[in-house]
Amino acid sequence: MKPHPAPGAAELAARRTRVIALGQRFAGDDGVGLVVLEALREALRGARLPEGVELVEAPDASRLVELVRFDGEVVIVDALLADPPGRVLLLDEPALARLGPGRLSSHGLGVAQAIGLARALAPALIARRLQLVGVTIAPPRRGESSLSDEVARALPEAVARVRTLIGA
């Protein structure tokens, strides 16, 4: 996977970005997207969120069908089922599509499937750029409210990736 260059200051000032965190709070590592968003909010406490950036939480990828209809860019933060747990990956939409339906998702409907459905239903309304910051996890454990040590150690890198993408 190719790294994406960080946007420049002029590019950041002129765009709108929606950050969508996916996950379940009581499913162990599956909630890492939500925890990344909380850590981002904490890191930005006292500072303004960059203009044009909005933060959204969703319990699963089915909400993406609606949320990727956006006049701007979308950054999705989610758990990815892959070994070893605790790696941070940045994937663009073509990379997600190449992985196949639901292959890395811990949800019933995978991120790539949800984006594909949204694109099929309303192609002109989909965000002009979609990226995913993913943290690899082992299969989630229901009833757990905390992250595994491996996934918790990945939080600073995941937050830094999101901050770079939104210019914060």
Side-chain angles (χ1 to χ4, degrees), residues 23-32 34-35 59 140-147:
Q24 302 284 327
R25 293 196 186 282
F26 297 102
D29 289 342
D30 182 63
V32 69
L34 303 175
V35 177
R141 301 171 315 266
R142 301 287 172 211
E144 290 282 329
S145 61
S146 61
L147 301 176

Side-chain angles (χ1 to χ4, degrees), residues 2-161:
K2 292 182 186 176
H4 297 277
E11 182 184 349
L12 289 171
R15 71 180 196 196
R16 293 173 16 105
T17 305
R18 176 178 283 164
V19 178
I20 306 167
L22 298 177
Q24 302 284 327
R25 293 196 186 282
F26 297 102
D29 289 342
D30 182 63
V32 69
L34 303 175
V35 177
V36 168
L37 200 65
E38 289 169 4
L40 175 65
R41 287 182 175 125
E42 183 64 31
L44 297 175
R45 185 178 303 259
R48 286 185 30 200
L49 194 62
E51 191 169 329
V53 175
E54 65 179 70
L55 307 178
V56 179
E57 294 182 11
D60 60 56
S62 64
R63 287 285 321 276
L64 291 177
V65 176
E66 169 193 344
L67 290 172
V68 299
R69 294 180 183 187
F70 184 69
D71 180 24
E73 298 182 6
V74 168
V75 176
I76 301 164
V77 186
D78 195 14
L80 301 173
L81 289 173
D83 282 327
R87 288 185 302 146
V88 177
L89 304 176
L90 178 61
L91 304 173
D92 59 13
E93 189 178 356
L96 278 169
R98 283 191 301 272
L99 293 174
R103 183 171 163 214
L104 296 176
S105 178
S106 61
H107 311 287
L109 180 67
V111 170
Q113 291 171 303
I115 293 169
L117 179 58
R119 194 168 289 290
L121 293 172
L125 301 178
I126 304 305
R128 63 178 175 266
R129 184 175 183 184
L130 295 159
Q131 297 181 89
L132 180 131
V133 174
V135 179
T136 60
I137 68 167
R141 301 171 315 266
R142 301 287 172 211
E144 290 282 329
S145 61
S146 61
L147 301 176
S148 67
D149 291 343
E150 298 88 355
V151 172
R153 282 192 293 270
L155 286 176
E157 182 181 349
V159 171
R161 290 275 180 113

